[in-house]
């Protein structure tokens, strides 16, 4: 196969890193650790919130997700032994039929040495606050929509949203948007909202390989000059509310369709449609979906010449994943023990880096600060919190599209539906403490009520008259 543009990276180019930088001392990468080892500042809580829900399956989409950070080195040649439980028998589901156990993200040792500032998440009893907390990288050359009914126009007219919405944020992290000064600023914020405790040499080597995104407002850039067309987008979560919804055709009629994690469509076309324009994921959510849903037909990420990939960088393991992808090497780690393949294989080799987009930490911090600021951030458990992958995807669509419709997201009455639309038997939705589902549900409802998005809901039918 011919090499893909931007993927011609040699092993020497990444493996022989500079050990000295302008802002940081030499960074020595620690040896790989096994899953389950202690972590100085864990980013994980694998236990469900005490809500009476018991079917914890490690969700990766709009209805839940477990987060962890791990560390490997793509140079490691030794085989990693399968951790205990990797080959354990299938557990029983509520119906008594065997179900494949979900991979459980496990904490591992901190992957990096101290940065120049010495900032450690473990040193803070709540999320630290900085004078520059609300400073974000802005895109000075962003395009302005001509759609009279755009999200951006509606936001400007909403007394609530106009105080929150920043239409000209830098959305994507690439070679142009990484510099010593940006590292010094962003290392004050814990991932996924910054670079705290990450390995600077790894981050720099990986990000520098991604070509600059020519136009941050890439969907507007695709329109003819002077066009007043409104760019419509459907964002499809994996919630059970879509089962028997029959909105597949409606979804496919949008200009662009966003999907995430275990985005099964075959056999569910009537409910979720067939098209995919953007696929959002983390290293954890993609590999876990391949593991859990491979037998159901989810064998790779959505493919197609027009598909763009949106990678939300949770922490060190995502940069390790990218390193292995660039080197076309096998990803070996105890943290993602279920995935012992080359990351490029998840895309069936049909990958171009100009269609593989890294979401900027400033964008994710903006979403957290202004839209989904959970009370958890004011507690000792602040480090484990982040919005769900589905929430990050939906709020990204608000920055890119003129009109946004959301399907398969958590709404009032979600208890009546199974966790996912593709569940073979009914499963209760699990609320994990590293997310705030109630906060997200309230946000989607308010955005809908304000006319900013159109949220697919299924009100409970009134009882029949006597």
């Amino acid at each position: 196969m011919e090499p893909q543009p931007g993927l011609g990276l040699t092993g020497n180019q990444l493996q022989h890193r500079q050990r000295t930088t302008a802002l940081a001392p030499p960074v020595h990468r620690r040896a790989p650790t096994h899953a389950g080892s202690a972590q100085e500042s864990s980013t994980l809580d694998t236990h469900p919130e005490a809500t009476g829900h018991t079917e914890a399956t490690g969700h990766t989409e709009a209805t839940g997700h477990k987060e962890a950070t791990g560390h490997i080195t793509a140079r490691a040649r030794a085989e990693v032994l399968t951790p205990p439980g990797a080959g354990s028998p299938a557990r029983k589901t509520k119906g008594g039929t065997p179900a494949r156990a979900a991979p459980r993200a496990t904490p591992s040792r901190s992957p990096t040495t101290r940065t120049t500032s010495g900032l450690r998440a473990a040193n803070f009893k709540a999320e630290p606050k900085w004078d520059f907390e609300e400073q974000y990288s802005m895109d000075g050359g962003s395009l302005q929509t001509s759609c009279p009914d755009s999200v951006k126009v509606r936001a400007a007219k909403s007394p609530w949203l106009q105080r929150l919405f920043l239409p000209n944020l830098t959305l994507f992290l690439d070679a142009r948007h990484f510099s010593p000064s940006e590292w010094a600023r962003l290392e004050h914020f814990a991932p996924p909202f910054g670079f705290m405790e990450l390995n600077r040499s790894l981050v720099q080597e990986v990000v520098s390989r991604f070509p600059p995104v020519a136009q941050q407002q890439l969907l507007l850039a695709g329109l003819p000059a002077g066009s007043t067309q409104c760019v419509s987008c459907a964002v499809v979560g994996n919630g059970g509310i879509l089962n028997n919804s029959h909105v597949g055709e409606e979804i496919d009629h949008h200009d662009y369709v966003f999907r995430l994690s275990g985005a099964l469509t075959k056999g569910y076309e009537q409910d979720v449609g067939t098209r995919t324009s953007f696929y959002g994921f983390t290293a954890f959510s993609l590999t876990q979906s391949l593991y859990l849903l491979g037998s159901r037909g989810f064998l790779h990420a959505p493919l197609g010449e027009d598909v763009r990939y949106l990678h939300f960088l949770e922490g060190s393991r995502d940069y390790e994943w990218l390193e292995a992808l660039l080197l076309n090497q096998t990803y070996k780690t105890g943290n993602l023990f279920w995935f012992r393949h080359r990351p490029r294989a998840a895309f069936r080799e049909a990958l171009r880096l100009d269609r593989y987009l890294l979401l900027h930490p400033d964008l994710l911090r903006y979403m957290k600060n202004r839209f989904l600021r959970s009370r958890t951030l004011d507690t000792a458990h602040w480090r484990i919190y982040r919005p769900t992958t589905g929430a990050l995807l939906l709020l990204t669509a608000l920055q890119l599209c003129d009109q946004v419709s959301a399907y398969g997201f958590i709404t009032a009455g979600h208890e009546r539906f199974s966790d996912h639309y593709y569940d073979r038997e009914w499963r209760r939705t699990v609320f994990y403490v590293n997310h705030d589902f109630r906060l997200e549900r309230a946000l989607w409802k308010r955005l809908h009520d304000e006319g900013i998005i159109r949220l697919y809901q299924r009100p409970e039918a009134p009882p029949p008259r006597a």
Side-chain angles (χ1 to χ4, degrees), residues 428-446:
R428 187 188 301 271
T429 299
V430 180
F431 285 4
Y432 290 93
V433 295
N434 59 334
H435 302 308
D436 194 326
F437 293 93
R438 294 177 180 86
L439 189 60
E440 292 188 9
R441 182 178 64 186
L443 176 61
W444 311 145
K445 182 65 163 57
R446 180 154 192 185

Side-chain angles (χ1 to χ4, degrees), residues 185-428:
R185 179 177 67 88
L186 289 168
E187 70 175 350
H188 289 78
F189 308 104
F193 314 112
F195 295 145
M196 185 185 290
E197 297 187 25
L198 293 182
N199 184 316
R200 175 175 174 170
S201 62
L202 172 60
V203 174
Q204 182 171 346
E205 283 289 352
V206 166
V207 173
S208 66
R209 302 296 170 178
F210 282 80
V213 178
Q215 176 50 249
Q216 295 281 308
Q217 292 294 329
L218 48 88
L219 299 188
L220 295 180
L223 297 177
S227 172
T228 58
Q229 176 185 342
C230 295
V231 177
S232 65
C233 299
V235 186
V236 186
N238 296 336
I241 191 174
L242 290 178
N243 193 18
N244 293 321
S245 63
H246 302 282
V247 293
E249 186 176 354
E250 177 182 314
I251 289 172
D252 281 345
H253 271 106
H254 289 77
D255 295 322
Y256 298 94
V257 179
F258 290 62
R259 300 187 191 274
L260 69 148
S261 304
L264 281 174
T265 57
K266 188 175 182 180
Y268 304 93
E269 296 89 346
Q270 200 173 39
D271 293 335
V272 302
T274 61
R275 296 177 52 230
T276 301
S277 314
F278 288 87
Y279 175 70
F281 65 98
T282 66
F284 179 86
S285 74
L286 175 54
T287 58
Q288 188 206 38
S289 296
L290 292 169
Y291 176 85
L292 288 178
L293 300 174
S295 62
R296 306 280 300 279
F298 190 78
L299 302 175
H300 49 74
L303 303 177
E305 291 190 9
D306 296 329
V307 176
R308 292 183 176 96
Y309 301 103
L310 299 175
H311 190 157
F312 298 99
L313 303 164
E314 286 186 297
S316 60
R317 56 133 181 256
D318 290 85
Y319 292 97
E320 300 282 1
W321 161 278
L322 288 171
E323 181 184 43
L325 182 144
L326 292 165
L327 291 172
N328 201 16
Q329 291 185 349
T330 299
Y331 187 81
K332 298 178 181 179
T333 173
N335 196 18
L336 300 178
F337 64 84
W338 55 88
F339 189 81
R340 299 291 183 84
H341 307 286
R342 293 174 300 110
R344 214 179 293 182
F347 304 92
R348 288 293 188 266
E349 312 295 339
L351 182 63
R352 292 169 40 186
L353 286 195
D354 60 346
R355 307 195 77 81
Y356 194 111
L357 303 166
L358 311 180
L359 279 301
H360 199 291
D362 273 357
L363 173 65
L364 275 55
R365 196 173 76 260
Y366 153 81
M367 295 174 182
K368 179 259 297 178
N369 286 349
R370 298 194 169 205
F371 294 96
L372 291 169
R373 180 161 188 84
S374 174
R375 294 178 181 176
T376 302
L377 294 166
D378 300 320
T379 73
H381 304 294
W382 69 274
R383 183 61 188 91
I384 68 175
Y385 172 74
R386 74 165 186 82
T388 63
T389 309
L392 297 177
L393 186 67
L394 179 49
L395 291 174
T396 298
L398 286 183
Q399 301 291 138
L400 288 171
C401 310
D402 288 319
Q403 298 171 342
V404 176
S405 300
Y407 302 85
F409 283 78
I410 192 166
T411 66
H414 68 87
E415 302 88 354
R416 293 182 290 121
F417 307 105
S418 187
D419 200 358
H420 311 103
Y421 65 81
Y422 48 75
D423 290 337
R424 286 177 170 165
E425 57 188 47
W426 192 89
R427 290 178 181 273
R428 187 188 301 271

Side-chain angles (χ1 to χ4, degrees), residues 39-54:
Q39 184 171 346
E40 295 172 355
S41 58
S42 174
T43 64
L44 170 70
D45 190 320
T46 58
H47 301 290
E49 184 180 354
T51 58
H53 301 158
T54 58

